[in-house]
Amino acid sequence: MTAHDATTHALRKTSTTLADGRELIYYDDTEPYVSGGATRDLVDTRALSPSMSQSQMRFDVLTGEWIVIAAQRMDRTFLPPADASPLAPSRPGRPATEIPASDYDVVVFENRFPSLSETAAQQTLPTEVDGEALWPLAPGTGRCEVICFASDPEASFVSLELSRVRTIIDVWADRTAALSAIPGVQQVFCFENRGKEIGVTLTHPHGQIYAYPYLPPRTDAMMRQSRTHFERTGRVLLADVLAAELRSGRRIVVDAEHWVAYVPAASRWPVEVHLAPRRDVADLAELNSPERDELAGVYRDLLRGVDAFFDGVDEVPYISAWHQAPVGADRELGRLHLQLFSMMRSPGRMKFLAGSESAMGAWVNDTTPERIADRLREVLT
């Protein structure tokens, strides 16, 4: 079956269950698998206890934010050698990994050490911490998935062929649609962390997908701003931001048929660029085939531009964050866009979130958005 009806990109989806009950899905774009002539290994030979999450959420009454308590993540795998990565294929003569097959194209599976999980609902929890009404308590329900971009542990997203990038876009779209349908999920977030400098614990090329049972603080703040803007103007705020950036042109980095990349006028990070579709699109699942086709090239080019941003730095650590509209209320006010940024402020030097940013949330950028845009245009030409 294809990953999404909106695309003609050939893709076969095969689901199985790991030894502890977690779901794993193969997304194949190569033969003989894509046509069904062969099937990946579906049997996990490991002896694992049933997956069960103890995650919980506690409400911070001072900020109005939910804080996830996921103590089981303390014991997750930390920077194993490439030949011992749990994200590598299971090869003869080596211990079995999270992926039973000896090779794969793209794989998605439920995280073994999740912050949020559907099994968390099976806990018996009180509704308050210490019986105090000030501190609401709830199970950490939702879902956390890992997406492996390639079986090669030495690969990176920017090294992938365009056809594989196109596959990953389809997979993001497919998972967005599937996770959005889970009862209680309010937002789906696809992202990639790259670089030990920002805390990556597995170097194998991969990303993550979170399905939140609440609106995360940034989305909640954007929705408040969007509601206020809509009540005042009758228009969608993120669409107006894109239109204003296009009118200015000063910070535009990519101006393509379906996509526009720009450095936001109030960027926070030393390297930051946003990518948005010209058309009003709520999430990745709503992208049509031409938009996905163009996105594959534009997105990979942006990643390469970030890598070339600093002279003498081959791989810039970054976070690639796909912001999507909420699943339920205020969905019509949300709009798909990518926030791609790095904490690196100069070669070998990182921006640390110290007193002002961490304690007060009062952001200070060390450069100007216009300088960021100038450099990105320079390295992208």
Side-chain angles (χ1 to χ4, degrees):
M1 63 180 293
T2 55
H4 195 271
D5 292 338
T7 175
T8 58
H9 182 66
L11 190 61
R12 185 174 183 83
K13 176 181 175 182
T14 307
S15 180
T16 188
T17 302
L18 296 175
D20 55 4
R22 291 175 294 131
E23 185 178 19
L24 179 143
I25 307 169
Y26 295 100
Y27 290 90
D28 283 303
D29 58 14
T30 59
E31 293 293 359
Y33 303 99
V34 68
S35 63
T39 302
R40 301 290 185 181
D41 293 328
L42 304 178
V43 179
D44 183 3
T45 60
R46 297 173 297 174
L48 301 177
S49 300
S51 177
M52 181 62 65
S53 171
Q54 301 298 317
S55 291
Q56 57 180 250
M57 304 189 306
R58 301 188 181 193
F59 190 72
D60 185 347
V61 67
L62 298 180
T63 64
E65 298 171 5
W66 284 101
I67 308 299
V68 176
I69 310 295
Q72 71 273 6
R73 286 175 55 79
M74 188 68 72
D75 298 324
R76 66 189 188 274
T77 308
F78 182 75
L79 292 177
D83 61 356
S85 172
L87 308 186
S90 291
R91 298 279 170 80
R94 294 181 180 176
T97 71
E98 290 281 70
I99 302 163
S102 60
D103 196 13
Y104 62 84
D105 292 337
V106 177
V107 167
V108 172
F109 60 89
E110 290 183 75
N111 198 320
R112 190 175 178 182
F113 303 98
S115 301
L116 302 165
S117 173
E118 292 173 275
T119 64
Q122 300 175 28
Q123 301 177 83
T124 301
L125 291 176
T127 59
E128 300 167 347
V129 177
D130 300 334
E132 293 286 348
L134 273 177
W135 303 323
L137 175 67
T141 56
R143 183 146 157 157
C144 294
E145 297 183 341
V146 176
I147 171 172
C148 297
F149 302 138
S151 61
D152 180 3
E154 302 301 322
S156 65
F157 203 110
V158 295
S159 72
L160 300 176
E161 296 291 332
L162 278 182
S163 60
R164 176 56 51 80
V165 178
R166 180 67 165 78
T167 292
I168 292 167
I169 293 168
D170 281 351
V171 174
W172 283 335
D174 185 65
R175 299 315 302 154
T176 293
L179 298 181
S180 296
I182 296 176
V185 167
Q186 293 192 33
Q187 187 175 33
V188 178
F189 176 46
C190 304
F191 65 102
E192 180 194 2
N193 299 325
R194 192 187 74 170
K196 298 176 183 177
E197 297 89 341
I198 60 171
V200 169
T201 58
L202 296 172
T203 58
H204 192 103
H206 74 287
Q208 299 180 67
I209 306 172
Y210 276 27
Y212 295 102
Y214 59 91
L215 288 188
R218 182 177 176 89
T219 302
D220 190 48
M222 285 195 294
M223 288 302 99
R224 289 199 305 271
Q225 291 295 101
S226 296
R227 282 193 298 271
T228 299
H229 183 80
F230 186 81
E231 290 167 0
R232 186 173 66 249
T233 68
R235 298 191 301 272
V236 175
L237 177 58
L238 281 164
D240 279 2
V241 167
L242 176 60
E245 290 288 359
L246 283 166
R247 284 195 301 271
S248 165
R250 178 63 182 87
R251 290 169 299 278
I252 297 296
V253 174
V254 174
D255 193 354
E257 181 181 358
H258 301 290
W259 294 88
V260 177
Y262 59 91
V263 177
S267 60
R268 298 179 175 220
W269 298 98
V271 182
E272 182 172 2
V273 60
H274 291 195
L275 177 64
R278 292 183 183 274
R279 186 171 65 93
D280 284 341
V281 175
D283 58 26
L284 288 155
E286 288 191 0
L287 293 174
N288 60 34
S289 187
E291 289 166 337
R292 297 183 191 195
D293 289 342
E294 186 177 82
L295 175 58
V298 169
Y299 179 54
R300 192 181 65 172
D301 285 347
L302 279 180
L303 293 180
R304 288 177 171 173
V306 168
D307 270 351
F309 195 90
F310 297 109
D311 291 332
V313 179
D314 294 329
E315 290 191 350
V316 173
Y318 66 70
I319 293 175
S320 175
W322 283 102
H323 296 278
Q324 308 196 80
V327 172
D330 290 332
R331 181 172 176 81
E332 70 282 0
L333 299 180
R335 200 175 191 275
L336 174 69
H337 67 285
L338 170 75
Q339 181 191 20
L340 175 62
F341 61 97
S342 176
M343 300 81 167
M344 185 169 281
R345 57 187 177 89
S346 62
R349 296 182 179 181
M350 303 295 291
K351 174 181 176 63
F352 294 103
L353 303 187
S356 182
E357 287 95 346
S358 291
M360 298 302 290
W363 216 265
V364 179
N365 199 343
D366 301 315
T367 186
T368 69
E370 290 72 27
R371 289 177 181 172
I372 299 172
D374 289 342
R375 178 57 177 164
L376 283 172
R377 280 194 295 267
E378 179 183 355
V379 297
L380 285 170
T381 54

